[in-house]
Amino acid sequence: MLQKPESFVKPDMVFSVSDAATLLKKVVETAFPEIRIRGELSQITRATSGHMYMTIKDEGAAINAIIWRGTPVGFKIEDGTEVIITGRFTTYPARSNYQIIINSIELAGVGAILKMLEMRKQKLAAEGLFDQSRKKPLPRFPQTIGVVTSPTGAAFQDIQNRLRERFPVHVLLYPATVQGATAAAEVAAGIEYFNTKNNVDVIIVARGGGSLEDLLPFSEEIVVRAAVASHIPLISGVGHEPDWMLIDFAADVRAPTPTGAAEMVVPTKLSLVQELDNLSHRLNTGFVTKISHLKRDVFNINIKSPKQILMEQGQKVDDLAHTMSIIVDNKINIIRQKIELVSKFPTIMENRLNILKQSLIHTGQMLKSLSYKNVLARGFAIVRDKDNNIISTNTAVPASIEFSDGTLKLD
């Protein structure tokens, strides 16, 4: 249990405001030259000076904290991150508050790290950075391989050894720190360097195994976005098989280890020799089969004598002549039928004219029989008024009477 310090200020002492503030500052800094505090970060502000101001809190209290520019930080500072900070207490008399100056900061355990990584993963995935559709295929036979890793680490040596065993190619190294505050920026710079120079066929980003905290630079946004922006196919070979970093999702291919990345990027000499042997066998088999088929076809050819060839051609000519004769005869018959039809045309026209004549005579007789003159001849008469209209009642005044032999005027 914390003990209450004894008071050294006497009741009769009177201080100025500045003296009291200075005294308090010395007391606080003397009592807390170094302290470790666990809590959650919030209200993070990055000043133009490069300093970062924030609050570290838990359920019961909150303390102002400062990270001076240049203080190494191995991960991205974000609101809600649970951390353990190491620093010293001090006061700021101008605002009458106390604060802690942070000398080092670390994530508070694996659970907090995994939570942060999952939140970042969801954010980047929502932007489409991990979509399978944007993955690029690896070249089958790369001539030059770019490696972004530490030049002194085991990962680079493992890659070189495996490449020499499998399929020796030219290797370009971009030396980068793979752990610590500057690692993420250096790895991203390596990826961008090879893309700018365009001097390699494939890029391997590699690092050996380590703790989750050690591998964090490979989950920083700057690294993920550099991998996504690479137009050169990129393999992630970070950590060991169980380890996963966000660059694994952004890379075109994820390898379980740096050695595995080397195995993925080139084939083995033995496998190539076997593939060439298989191709040679298939070509030989196909060639022998083709020759066999051609030989069979040659043997099946029947060489005919010139006389037989002439006779066969003569038969074809006879068949053609017979066919032409049938076609010509058919044409002649059709033309003959048309001529006969034309020769019968006058008779046909005469018959049609006689029929029309008889029809006219019959029509004339019908008109004559239906004429009102015949009715007048039988003793009837037509009475008309002065407008020459027929009168059919006794109410109108008659003006003329038409008989079969003439008209009588009644004026």
Side-chain angles (χ1 to χ4, degrees):
M1 183 176 178
L2 294 178
Q3 294 181 350
K4 181 180 178 181
E6 294 183 4
S7 175
F8 60 87
V9 177
K10 304 304 180 183
D12 57 344
M13 291 181 179
V14 178
F15 298 90
S16 68
V17 175
S18 297
D19 289 342
T22 301
L23 178 61
L24 178 62
K25 182 178 180 69
K26 289 180 179 180
V27 170
V28 170
E29 291 178 350
T30 301
F32 301 96
E34 183 175 89
I35 187 170
R36 287 169 60 83
I37 301 176
R38 179 170 183 158
E40 180 181 307
L41 298 180
S42 65
Q43 300 178 3
I44 298 170
T45 303
R46 291 169 176 83
T48 55
S49 61
H51 308 319
M52 286 190 290
Y53 300 88
M54 65 203 69
T55 298
I56 184 168
K57 64 178 183 177
D58 59 16
E59 296 83 355
I63 302 173
N64 292 334
I66 303 173
I67 300 178
W68 298 129
R69 180 181 62 187
T71 302
V73 178
F75 56 94
K76 186 177 180 181
I77 302 295
E78 296 178 319
D79 284 357
T81 305
E82 188 176 0
V83 297
I84 297 175
I85 63 173
T86 301
R88 59 185 178 84
F89 269 116
T90 185
T91 64
Y92 186 55
R95 284 204 297 264
S96 298
N97 63 0
Y98 67 95
Q99 57 198 19
I100 184 169
I101 306 301
I102 298 176
N103 298 323
S104 66
I105 182 170
E106 59 189 89
L107 290 167
V110 174
I113 298 175
L114 293 177
K115 178 182 177 182
M116 178 197 69
L117 290 179
E118 184 61 29
M119 293 175 60
R120 188 177 297 168
K121 176 185 175 184
Q122 293 177 5
K123 171 193 169 185
L124 297 176
E127 297 181 29
L129 302 188
F130 303 149
D131 290 351
Q132 193 65 31
S133 60
R134 51 156 297 275
K135 305 290 184 181
K136 298 177 288 296
L138 300 180
R140 179 73 191 281
F141 300 108
Q143 301 298 311
T144 304
I145 298 173
V147 179
V148 180
T149 190
S150 170
T152 59
F156 184 54
Q157 297 303 320
D158 292 342
I159 290 173
Q160 286 187 305
N161 293 337
R162 189 49 57 93
L163 290 177
R164 279 194 292 268
E165 294 171 1
R166 293 173 64 86
F167 192 86
V169 293
H170 186 50
V171 177
L172 294 179
L173 170 67
Y174 184 93
T177 303
V178 294
Q179 181 176 335
T182 62
E186 293 183 26
V187 171
I191 297 172
E192 293 168 359
Y193 167 80
F194 285 127
N195 277 270
T196 301
K197 295 295 184 180
N198 200 28
N199 54 353
V200 297
D201 301 307
V202 64
I203 299 171
I204 298 176
V205 177
R207 186 203 189 282
S211 66
L212 188 58
E213 293 86 345
D214 293 340
L215 299 177
L216 279 179
F218 296 91
S219 290
E220 293 292 343
E221 283 194 33
I222 187 174
V223 173
V224 173
R225 295 188 186 279
V228 171
S230 175
H231 67 267
I232 299 173
L234 187 143
I235 301 177
S236 169
V238 178
H240 294 148
E241 177 64 39
D243 301 326
W244 64 269
M245 293 294 108
L246 295 186
I247 191 176
D248 295 334
F249 301 97
D252 297 299
V253 177
R254 186 248 180 182
T257 62
T259 302
E263 294 174 351
M264 287 181 175
V265 79
V266 294
T268 63
K269 290 183 288 186
L270 178 61
S271 67
L272 287 177
V273 170
Q274 291 176 345
E275 187 174 347
L276 289 174
D277 288 342
N278 291 335
L279 288 174
S280 176
H281 176 72
R282 289 170 58 189
L283 286 173
N284 289 334
T285 302
F287 183 74
V288 170
T289 302
K290 186 67 174 179
I291 292 297
S292 176
H293 290 166
L294 290 174
K295 183 178 180 180
R296 182 196 62 195
D297 294 341
V298 170
F299 286 150
N300 290 336
I301 295 175
N302 294 321
I303 301 177
K304 302 176 182 178
S305 66
K307 181 178 179 180
Q308 183 179 357
I309 294 174
L310 289 174
M311 291 178 63
E312 290 178 355
Q313 294 299 321
Q315 184 178 3
K316 290 181 180 180
V317 172
D318 291 341
D319 291 341
L320 181 61
H322 178 69
T323 302
M324 291 300 296
S325 176
I326 293 174
I327 295 173
V328 171
D329 289 344
N330 289 336
K331 292 288 187 181
I332 291 174
N333 289 333
I334 292 172
I335 293 173
R336 183 181 292 113
Q337 291 174 0
K338 289 182 178 180
I339 291 173
E340 291 177 356
L341 182 62
V342 171
S343 64
K344 294 178 181 179
F345 186 72
T347 303
I348 295 173
M349 291 300 296
E350 183 178 356
N351 291 337
R352 288 186 176 277
L353 289 173
N354 287 335
I355 292 172
L356 290 173
K357 183 178 180 180
Q358 292 297 326
S359 177
L360 288 173
I361 293 173
H362 178 68
T363 303
Q365 291 175 348
M366 288 184 64
L367 288 173
K368 185 177 180 180
S369 64
L370 294 174
S371 175
Y372 77 96
K373 294 287 188 180
N374 291 332
V375 177
L376 295 178
R378 293 200 300 270
F380 292 91
I382 298 175
V383 181
R384 303 177 186 274
D385 58 16
K386 62 179 181 178
D387 296 323
N388 205 31
N389 295 323
I390 297 175
I391 298 172
S392 59
T393 64
N394 61 1
T395 58
V397 178
S400 64
I401 300 174
E402 182 181 356
F403 297 96
S404 61
D405 56 351
T407 301
L408 174 64
K409 300 292 185 178
L410 302 178
D411 296 338

